[in-house]
Amino acid sequence: MKKPWAGRFTEKTSKSVEDFTESISFDKKLWKYDIEGSIAHAKMLSKQGIISKRDSGRIVRGLKDIWTEIEEGRFRFREELEDIHMNIEAALIKKVGDAGGMLHTARSRNDQVALDLRLYVRASVEEIIGLLRRLETVLADLADGTLGIVMPGYTHTQRAQPVLLAHHVMAYAQMFRRDRMRFGDALKRINVLPLGSCALAGTGLPIDRQYVASLLKFDSVSDNSMDSVSDRDFALEFLSCAAVLMMHVSRMAEEMVLWSSEEFGFVEIADAFATGSSIMPQKKNPDVAELMRGKTGRVYGNLMSLLTVMKGLPMTYNRDMQEDKEPLFDTADTLRAVLSILPEMLKNMTFDAARLRQSSDAAFSTATDIAEYLVNKGLPFRTAHEITGKIVRFCLDNGKQLHDLDLESYRLFSPKIEKDVFDVISSSASVNAKKSYGGTSPTAVKAQIKRFRNSLK
Amino acid sequence: MKKPWAGRFTEKTSKSVEDFTESISFDKKLWKYDIEGSIAHAKMLSKQGIISKRDSGRIVRGLKDIWTEIEEGRFRFREELEDIHMNIEAALIKKVGDAGGMLHTARSRNDQVALDLRLYVRASVEEIIGLLRRLETVLADLADGTLGIVMPGYTHTQRAQPVLLAHHVMAYAQMFRRDRMRFGDALKRINVLPLGSCALAGTGLPIDRQYVASLLKFDSVSDNSMDSVSDRDFALEFLSCAAVLMMHVSRMAEEMVLWSSEEFGFVEIADAFATGSSIMPQKKNPDVAELMRGKTGRVYGNLMSLLTVMKGLPMTYNRDMQEDKEPLFDTADTLRAVLSILPEMLKNMTFDAARLRQSSDAAFSTATDIAEYLVNKGLPFRTAHEITGKIVRFCLDNGKQLHDLDLESYRLFSPKIEKDVFDVISSSASVNAKKSYGGTSPTAVKAQIKRFRNSLK
Amino acid sequence: MKKPWAGRFTEKTSKSVEDFTESISFDKKLWKYDIEGSIAHAKMLSKQGIISKRDSGRIVRGLKDIWTEIEEGRFRFREELEDIHMNIEAALIKKVGDAGGMLHTARSRNDQVALDLRLYVRASVEEIIGLLRRLETVLADLADGTLGIVMPGYTHTQRAQPVLLAHHVMAYAQMFRRDRMRFGDALKRINVLPLGSCALAGTGLPIDRQYVASLLKFDSVSDNSMDSVSDRDFALEFLSCAAVLMMHVSRMAEEMVLWSSEEFGFVEIADAFATGSSIMPQKKNPDVAELMRGKTGRVYGNLMSLLTVMKGLPMTYNRDMQEDKEPLFDTADTLRAVLSILPEMLKNMTFDAARLRQSSDAAFSTATDIAEYLVNKGLPFRTAHEITGKIVRFCLDNGKQLHDLDLESYRLFSPKIEKDVFDVISSSASVNAKKSYGGTSPTAVKAQIKRFRNSLK
Amino acid sequence: MKKPWAGRFTEKTSKSVEDFTESISFDKKLWKYDIEGSIAHAKMLSKQGIISKRDSGRIVRGLKDIWTEIEEGRFRFREELEDIHMNIEAALIKKVGDAGGMLHTARSRNDQVALDLRLYVRASVEEIIGLLRRLETVLADLADGTLGIVMPGYTHTQRAQPVLLAHHVMAYAQMFRRDRMRFGDALKRINVLPLGSCALAGTGLPIDRQYVASLLKFDSVSDNSMDSVSDRDFALEFLSCAAVLMMHVSRMAEEMVLWSSEEFGFVEIADAFATGSSIMPQKKNPDVAELMRGKTGRVYGNLMSLLTVMKGLPMTYNRDMQEDKEPLFDTADTLRAVLSILPEMLKNMTFDAARLRQSSDAAFSTATDIAEYLVNKGLPFRTAHEITGKIVRFCLDNGKQLHDLDLESYRLFSPKIEKDVFDVISSSASVNAKKSYGGTSPTAVKAQIKRFRNSLK
């Protein structure tokens, strides 16, 4: 197979080099975008009179045939043709003859691959945004449906204060909302047409880049041809958004794992979303959650990978940049899988409301409420805090809970304490009181859910 | 020194633990933000009648005194007080007595540190945006002033096609513009008030978070108290933007290093921005550029550091998150230093226009123009490319440049070639021809600079 | 202050460049190693007749004075002298005059900094190896002292099979042993003398590198002067070992956090190793363990940082490499702190043996033993596994534990089950049975501890 | 398809979960190791009387049949069977009936996958060590064959001092030697048998782990069953070694790219190891070197990926760890490809000796030799350095090289300079003088090559 650059060369490429440098084994994933881009390019070339309408027609028909062949699995990708661009072009030339050779006019693989990649990332981001929106909806619904459940809120994996399960759930909804916003902002920088930058310098041919942009639904046209073929910050921004998203996923997954342990026992994951053990018959393992948590590593690694590739590369295109694709593909696939399964898993979890409440009643999680109670009675916060600490110490030393003490006992710690202290030491009372904006009282959480749903529209 | 939580504990903290867990050695950097936040909090507490106007007044005056003491270096930070919040609060109580203890009402260190950090990151981002704007201006000016200089454009560190130096410079301007946009978008998620989330659940006290937000110039108030004290995605977004920016810096630095080598000889960095060797008297080293390139590692590492810290943490605040500060501080400091020096260095570089032109004339960098010339004469691009490849091969084998061949020699390769071929093989002609939008012709570059400057306004 | 390279330069270094390029603010940490190296160098120079004995004597005395001044805090480090090497040399020249200027003979800052860094890393590794050995001893002692405690062994954070707490503890001992071995192997590549490589090419002066190596206790002398001044793989190997070690620490810390939660309740961390909350009086937080887990991020980040710095640097020394120090220093400091505190914390934890046993009796953790029992009765493992799975399902559906069923009930699932089944369903029986090499029976664990202690000698 | 754990479950696994959790699509790569391990396990089981000789014989024959089927591409891997272990076991049971079910006796997928992975990593390391040895040999041969070529040695990408090309080449040989040593040390921790640890606790069956180790050629048997199934530090050590190796590769690749630029022009890469441009006919791009440099990102990313996966995982096996395989496979494949091509490429490069010498004569690269000359005449080094700096400054200002000055001119800078100065200012003289151990003189480099070759034996 003669290489497209064969003219200048006297020796043939070695086979091991061909294997080392080929990208068709993974960049074939770009076929749809490559064909779409070529069709738009061909239409522009004929509109501008650079090639004939007839040639353009042939090219477009040829490309559509190739589309069908690939879709139906009838297309043979050939490694010796290096990449997706050459594979499709070679097939086109075979199909429509010389006209096919016209397609590469005013175009280089440098701007072509930048185009394909932007189309790929754009489509991925749009899909991910859709999946995030669905996940947020499911979380808001879950919150709405569990407003009655009180649970312990944790800091340091220690019970801290009672909260609504719905509030906890909404915390994740807020995170994923920000993730969605980030991807949305990234789109502004992704959705820019690089085609027409050619190898690096632009062209002398009278191309119309705005026309191509409108055919391919790009918001704008890149402003500098060298920048267009050599930068990949749009890809890095995508990977960064993905890494932060996976950080959030890993936190939620961690909690699913903990909550489905025998020790916590807060939730049961549906059988369909768990797996068993080949040796221990009693096991029901939260494998899906664990794998999600594990896949964080993959996405962090992909980000680090491309950051490393791009570090210190001089202008403009360098072959190192061929290494941009696999981290992107792997990340998009991972996000797609995780975000598809997560809502289904959430919808198939059963919370143990009794155990959640019981846990939030125990472990002095309303101690802060006693402290606030004392503040309301006029003590400075630090003093109130210290008195409450002594009450807790007393309970710990005597194996008691806060509701086991009688008024007399309480008053040994502070004469400010009166009968109404018993109104603040139940977890329900504690939760109901937290009416501040963004707080955990049912009223505040309902308002939060309402605002959230409005923002989803 | 009694700990704020001493009530419940029976043993004292060990000294080595105190050393291990203290953060005052680095979080004292947040002092301004901590005081600002406390002042706003105190004002709100008294406005809402939670504390008296008198106490609020005392607190504010006390805090302002502390501000002055720190500014003048008279404040003694104490490690046994753990962190900046306790250091300032202890000093306040010492100064104003019981009123100081009131300040912690309806607040926890969890939302306080989240507030301080957001104020710090916001200020850093605003400063970085300003520095980027300045850098972009300098680059646009540099481009404007070098419109007459032609140089080789590179792919694969091989001369590819002639370009304008101004075009090359503008490629970087475009990158930094996108970096600035990214930081701007990040601000939307940074500039959200977390205070009022308290430990994690909100509060029963009648606080007014919107009022605090307006005092501290936040765009909005966080919607979920658990999310507010436990997430750090705003910090990760900042670090991601920084990593991408440093990737761009590393590329520019790499080119400065290459261009100031004897081999390239394109540029001379001013003595003030270079250093010498302790052993080799002739050396003039581009140390500043090298260090900028090297500092990419630090910023990538900081991103990876915080991503790792946050991975798999359950809700809400965990002490691991104390590790969020140093990567942020170090990154902000690095960006500030790099972005301050870069424009000065750029303004003090001397380009060797003759050498740049000479390099762009050699090495067949207008071969593509011959290929385009043949396309214009009606050949398909692939054929034109192959013919040109053979011309280059012939020149290489015979030690000639493109302008050394006469018409007859050219016509041996294709009868389509005519006298006007000599109009396309000079680098000036090549550059002038690239009139496409975003291309490298002087017209296109002038238009680009104009658009760019408009976007800077 | 005149720079050491001032001869060739016409302009002065700008102040901002001085600030940007200085390293004295952090490399002063190398002062001991710098002086040690210089003393050895001076002795060699005079031994070889390159400088006079008298000059050498003056230099050595001068350096020793400087040592004392620094130790006593009387030395003023000056930023305009860039780095530790110039600071000490300038002080030396001031002290002993021209003789001081002789010290830089046959030496460059390139090999000098490589020397200092190797001495620093060597000392750090030796200290870390000592700390690891102590940690391993404490773990082995802890295991020895807890041989009677049975607990649930986990997979997927689900109870799997009963194990000895001692076995669990020894698992960590094994990990830290491998970490220690790794650092030991790294020493082979760290402990190589680079001095005498000069700037990059070696020297024409008749130096004796073997002599310097013996003075500084290096195992060998580097073989290639260019390699010696430009590579930092010894530093990367140190950081890699550190990253793997911190991975282990993070796992142990995670378990400490989980085990000290109310839900697990397996362990109580001593008050001296925990902290409380400024707002929630009842809290006792495992902050030290959390911080250790969090510090994993820092060490991973440092590794990534230096890997990035070194990527793609051409030979030999480049200023980028100044960025090698802070990640090394920070990592060594972190390891030192973590490894110092960890053994103390372990010695001050109280295990709740009753709760551990109770947890290991519940949750069907001996189900595998029933399956093995059935295998012993002649069933294929897969069949035995399935029968046991059905028994567990039956118990779950009827709210029973394995020891709640009578023989009749068991025989409904398989007629192979006989009275002796009750000998295998207690967690003690389960543990005692696991006599395989490396298994969890008391006999096997005692043997393991014995082997382990032997390897520590 | 019934899952191996179906007994306890009431719902079927959802299809999307099956897709999400399957690993057969990549862990089928382990088939050889899985079968090898199973054969050894079956032999041991029958030797110990745990299963009959007959059953063992059937199992071994069945497994060998499966080996042949896979080798010949006749085996159908099924996703619903999750992983390689279940795929092979299911095929075995189909082939040999109940006997197949015996194979899982005293084994779990936890220790089985740890075994497979260790066998895979061991084989990869052994192959990589072989490839490194070959690369080192090629480099030593290349050095040996280029002893006559002088070139500029660089610091800061600025010409510093003349060196032998052979010395430069040997610098890389030294790096790769250390890489090989590192992989060799890692083998000590890789080559340990985990099988017999079962799920996590060991077993009550009378297995003989030492026997299995001897069959599979392991140096030792793991000491702690929990550690054996849950740690992956051996994998991380492999990835760390790989990252450092790729750092070295990236540096060499960077130099190949630079040296084959028009500006340097030091080397021509053979056509077979370069590629052209689809649009620029004159281009000959060092794509192979660029891709090698780029693949550094992938390997760094893989390391970061697994470090992240393992961070903070509690004991013992967690499903997250399924994510350990792809980074390992990808890294091993990358190293194999890079190390196979590199020696071939090196053997097919043509150095331009004339240009190398010419470059080393220019640019004052022997200035240090003048300084050393002045030291020999009795000046302190710092003074000598300054005088030489002034000579260079004078030459720069007057457009001269060092050999353009006459003695009189030299003596204007120092009366110590005499006629013999002209013996030190040629690059050959400079190189020849550097006779110190590890220096760049031909004598020293020959000795270095000799030592190096001895160490390769």
Side-chain angles (χ1 to χ4, degrees), chain A residues 154-156 158-160 254 260 263 277-278 280 282-283 285 290 304 308-309 311 364 368 382 385, chain C residues 154-156 158-160 254 260 263 277-278 280 282-283 290 304 308-309 311 364 368 382 385:
Chain A
Y154 292 80
T155 59
H156 308 263
Q158 298 282 319
R159 292 177 195 156
E254 170 84 4
S260 58
E263 286 72 17
S277 157
S278 65
M280 293 166 291
Q282 84 283 10
K283 293 295 294 292
N285 296 324
E290 291 169 272
M304 197 41 56
T308 303
V309 168
K311 183 237 164 184
F364 312 100
T368 317
R382 289 294 182 211
H385 185 279
Chain C
Y154 292 80
T155 59
H156 308 263
Q158 298 282 319
R159 293 178 195 155
E254 169 83 5
S260 57
E263 286 72 17
S277 157
S278 66
M280 294 167 289
Q282 83 283 11
K283 292 294 295 293
E290 290 169 272
M304 198 41 55
T308 303
V309 168
K311 184 236 162 183
F364 312 100
T368 317
R382 289 297 182 209
H385 185 280

Side-chain angles (χ1 to χ4, degrees), chain C residues 343-413:
Chain C
E344 300 317 306
M345 188 153 93
L346 286 165
K347 286 163 66 182
N348 285 283
M349 299 197 315
T350 315
F351 289 95
D352 186 336
R355 185 140 178 183
L356 285 161
R357 170 174 298 275
Q358 179 189 7
S359 300
S360 68
D361 280 340
F364 312 100
S365 61
T366 55
T368 317
D369 297 280
I370 301 182
E372 284 205 0
Y373 169 88
L374 289 168
V375 168
N376 278 333
K377 301 277 179 181
L379 293 183
F381 185 80
R382 289 297 182 209
T383 316
H385 185 280
E386 198 177 339
I387 289 168
T388 318
K390 285 180 180 155
I391 297 172
V392 169
R393 185 74 260 159
F394 175 83
C395 288
L396 285 173
D397 290 345
N398 295 278
K400 289 182 188 303
Q401 292 291 330
L402 289 177
H403 46 78
D404 297 332
L405 301 192
D406 58 15
L407 181 57
E408 208 176 342
S409 309
Y410 271 113
R411 291 179 62 90
L412 291 174
F413 295 95

Side-chain angles (χ1 to χ4, degrees), chain B residues 259-321:
Chain B
W259 291 5
S260 58
S261 69
E262 287 88 353
E263 286 73 16
F264 278 82
F266 288 176
V267 79
E268 181 159 12
I269 294 176
D271 281 8
F273 292 86
T275 57
S277 158
S278 65
I279 191 168
M280 294 167 290
Q282 83 284 10
K283 293 296 294 290
K284 179 169 173 183
N285 295 323
D287 289 71
V288 174
E290 291 170 273
L291 258 182
M292 283 178 179
R293 187 178 57 184
K295 283 181 186 296
T296 311
R298 171 188 292 265
V299 175
Y300 283 12
N302 288 338
L303 170 58
M304 197 41 54
S305 175
L306 190 54
L307 280 171
T308 303
V309 169
M310 297 304 294
K311 183 237 163 183
L313 289 188
M315 291 281 110
T316 60
Y317 182 82
N318 299 281
R319 188 66 178 258
D320 316 55
M321 288 154 69

Side-chain angles (χ1 to χ4, degrees), chain B residues 417-434:
Chain B
I417 300 181
E418 291 168 80
K419 223 176 65 183
D420 56 353
V421 74
F422 295 104
D423 298 346
V424 306
I425 61 172
S426 82
S427 57
S428 300
S430 169
V431 162
N432 289 336
K434 303 294 185 304

Side-chain angles (χ1 to χ4, degrees), chain A residues 350-406:
Chain A
T350 315
F351 289 95
D352 186 335
R355 185 139 178 185
L356 285 161
R357 170 174 298 274
Q358 179 188 7
S359 301
S360 69
D361 281 338
F364 312 100
S365 62
T366 55
T368 317
D369 297 281
I370 300 182
E372 285 207 359
Y373 168 90
L374 290 168
V375 168
N376 278 333
K377 301 278 179 184
L379 294 183
F381 186 79
R382 289 294 182 211
T383 315
H385 185 279
E386 197 178 339
I387 291 168
T388 318
K390 285 180 180 155
I391 297 173
V392 169
R393 183 75 260 160
F394 175 82
C395 288
L396 282 174
D397 291 344
N398 296 278
K400 289 182 187 303
Q401 291 292 329
L402 291 176
H403 46 78
D404 297 332
L405 302 191
D406 56 18

Side-chain angles (χ1 to χ4, degrees), chain A residues 174-227:
Chain A
Q174 301 289 354
M175 295 177 211
F176 292 123
R177 191 172 77 95
R178 287 194 300 275
D179 286 321
R180 182 164 50 84
M181 285 173 62
R182 253 186 292 271
F183 279 108
D185 283 339
L187 260 189
K188 293 188 251 169
R189 287 167 286 275
I190 293 164
N191 203 16
V192 178
L193 177 82
L195 203 72
S197 301
C198 303
L200 76 155
T203 179
L205 297 167
I207 58 173
D208 180 350
R209 299 183 64 201
Q210 273 70 17
Y211 178 67
V212 177
S214 76
L215 288 178
L216 294 171
K217 302 194 168 41
F218 278 104
D219 288 339
S220 61
V221 168
S222 70
D223 263 310
N224 183 299
S225 58
M226 296 179 74
D227 176 40

Side-chain angles (χ1 to χ4, degrees), chain C residues 242-292:
Chain C
V244 175
L245 165 58
M246 285 306 293
M247 181 273 287
H248 288 146
V249 168
S250 78
R251 299 187 74 174
M252 185 182 245
E254 169 83 5
E255 296 208 314
M256 286 183 187
V257 171
L258 290 183
W259 291 6
S260 57
S261 69
E262 286 87 355
E263 286 72 17
F264 279 80
F266 288 176
V267 78
E268 181 157 13
I269 294 176
D271 281 8
F273 291 86
T275 57
S277 157
S278 66
I279 190 169
M280 294 167 289
Q282 83 283 11
K283 292 294 295 293
K284 179 168 172 183
N285 295 324
D287 288 71
V288 174
E290 290 169 272
L291 258 182
M292 284 179 179

